[in-house]
Amino acid sequence: MPAKKKAEVQAEEAVKETKKTAKKPAAKKTAAAAAAKEETKTAKKTTAKKTAKKDTAKEEAPKKTVKRTAKKKAEPAPEVAKKSVQEYKDVINWKKWEAHNLDWLYIEVNAGDLLTELEAGVDNIAAAVEAVKDLMLEGDYYITEADDATLSVRYYTDNLSEFRRKYSEVND
């Protein structure tokens, strides 16, 4: 017999053997096995009923009602503590000394930018302008002279000696 036919015959015999062994346990059904099978059928039926009840319960849920309450009046915004002129002067002096230590010749400070840097959203431009003007020393000059956020000053940082005169003393 050729090898192919031998393999086919062996495969058929193996299939017949598995059929025989599969039939034997089924033929020997006991009362306990039949009762267990019946229990699984009833369990499946009850779970199907429960899920059907759950589905209908979800559909029948009442809609929630929302009560409208009267709108509260808007409270005034809390008063923000504004920075003082001295705090603005301290920041400008720190910038001047930082530039001096980095060997920069000058720095330019804009009052509006300074205000935004320290107190964004607060209307305290008067304090910023006063600090920028008060810290001008002899030799410093206005880039843009104004009394609002457009005020810009160039501070020279090569000589920050305490003996330098103020700009207001020299140019009044």
Side-chain angles (χ1 to χ4, degrees):
M1 231 185 224
K4 243 186 192 179
K5 285 187 180 180
K6 241 184 192 180
E8 288 176 5
V9 171
Q10 286 176 351
E12 286 177 16
E13 288 176 5
V15 170
K16 287 179 185 177
E17 295 254 347
T18 54
K19 286 181 181 177
K20 287 179 185 176
T21 55
K23 287 181 181 176
K24 287 180 183 176
K28 293 182 178 178
K29 277 190 180 175
T30 59
K37 198 172 193 180
E38 193 64 34
E39 283 181 29
T40 56
K41 285 182 183 177
T42 57
K44 286 181 183 178
K45 287 180 184 177
T46 56
T47 55
K49 287 180 183 177
K50 286 180 183 177
T51 56
K53 286 181 182 178
K54 286 181 183 177
D55 291 341
T56 57
K58 287 181 183 176
E59 291 172 6
E60 296 172 5
K63 293 182 180 178
K64 292 182 180 180
T65 57
V66 179
K67 291 183 179 179
R68 292 189 180 188
T69 57
K71 291 183 181 178
K72 294 181 181 178
K73 292 182 180 177
E75 295 179 12
E79 190 66 31
V80 178
K82 295 181 178 180
K83 295 200 180 295
S84 67
V85 174
Q86 185 58 46
E87 289 173 308
Y88 279 100
K89 286 181 181 180
D90 292 342
V91 170
I92 295 169
N93 278 327
W94 179 83
K95 287 179 180 240
K96 287 167 72 173
W97 278 103
E98 186 72 18
H100 175 76
N101 292 334
L102 292 171
D103 293 328
W104 290 0
L105 180 60
Y106 62 87
I107 62 170
E108 293 177 355
V109 176
N110 179 284
D113 293 343
L114 184 65
L115 176 68
T116 303
E117 183 179 329
L118 297 180
E119 299 181 286
V122 177
D123 185 24
N124 197 13
I125 194 66
V129 168
E130 185 179 340
V132 168
K133 285 183 176 181
D134 195 41
L135 287 178
M136 288 181 68
L137 300 175
E138 182 180 17
D140 297 340
Y141 66 90
Y142 292 104
I143 296 172
T144 307
E145 189 172 0
D147 286 333
D148 59 5
T150 60
L151 171 68
S152 293
V153 173
R154 178 174 286 181
Y155 297 106
Y156 284 93
T157 60
D158 56 341
N159 181 9
L160 296 178
S161 170
E162 295 177 11
F163 301 110
R164 278 178 67 187
R165 295 183 295 179
K166 290 195 174 242
Y167 181 86
S168 59
E169 294 171 1
V170 175
N171 296 323
D172 276 342

